[in-house]
Amino acid sequence: MLADEGRTDMFVISIHLDWFSGFAGKDHVNKIAAYIAESAQIHTGGRPLLVVWRQYQPNAQLKKSRQRFLEILQKGSVPAYEGLPRAAAVLAKLAQYSEFLKKGA
């Protein structure tokens, strides 16, 4: 719906991986990554989509899940950044570059 309105320039999905600490042995993290990598991009209307992730718990099983999560996103060509400040910096540079291209410079 947001992409169809034309008011959205980009999409950021924020995932707090610690929420999955009770589910680390299950496949929830992989299912979310697969949905984002395979299906979510279809609904962005060609606009940039990226994922921001956070993890504070030093849980070894959750760390393995995070690695798999990031691999799935990478295979689906979805960039993922640790923390919103990094993602915001990337999006700001992308917006600047887009403006540069529009000016034809």
Side-chain angles (χ1 to χ4, degrees), residues 2 10 18 24 38 44 48 51 53-54 59 61 64-65 70-71 76 78 81 85:
L2 292 173
M10 55 195 72
D18 290 335
E38 297 166 8
T44 64
V51 172
W53 64 271
R54 296 178 312 282
N59 179 320
Q61 184 65 31
K64 285 182 185 179
S65 292
L70 295 174
E71 288 171 8
V78 177
Y81 299 93

Side-chain angles (χ1 to χ4, degrees), residues 15-94:
I15 305 287
H16 196 308
L17 295 172
D18 290 335
W19 291 341
F20 298 101
S21 63
F23 306 104
K26 299 183 176 77
D27 206 28
H28 299 299
V29 175
N30 292 343
K31 287 179 183 177
I32 290 170
Y35 172 75
I36 294 169
E38 297 166 8
S39 300
Q41 292 187 88
I42 296 168
H43 305 290
T44 64
R47 292 169 187 85
L49 166 70
L50 61 83
V51 172
V52 174
W53 64 271
R54 296 178 312 282
Q55 180 187 349
Y56 303 109
Q57 295 182 27
N59 179 320
Q61 184 65 31
L62 192 54
K63 191 173 181 177
K64 285 182 185 179
S65 292
R66 181 187 75 215
Q67 286 304 114
R68 183 67 185 132
F69 177 79
L70 295 174
E71 288 171 8
I72 293 168
L73 292 175
Q74 185 178 25
K75 286 180 183 175
S77 299
V78 177
Y81 299 93
E82 181 179 5
L84 195 52
R86 287 183 182 171
V90 168
L91 290 171
K93 289 179 195 270
L94 182 61

Side-chain angles (χ1 to χ4, degrees), residues 1-13 43-50 91 102:
M1 290 179 356
L2 292 173
D4 290 342
E5 288 182 13
R7 297 183 203 177
T8 305
D9 294 324
M10 55 195 72
F11 293 89
V12 177
I13 299 173
H43 305 290
T44 64
R47 292 169 187 85
L49 166 70
L50 61 83
L91 290 171
K102 287 178 186 174

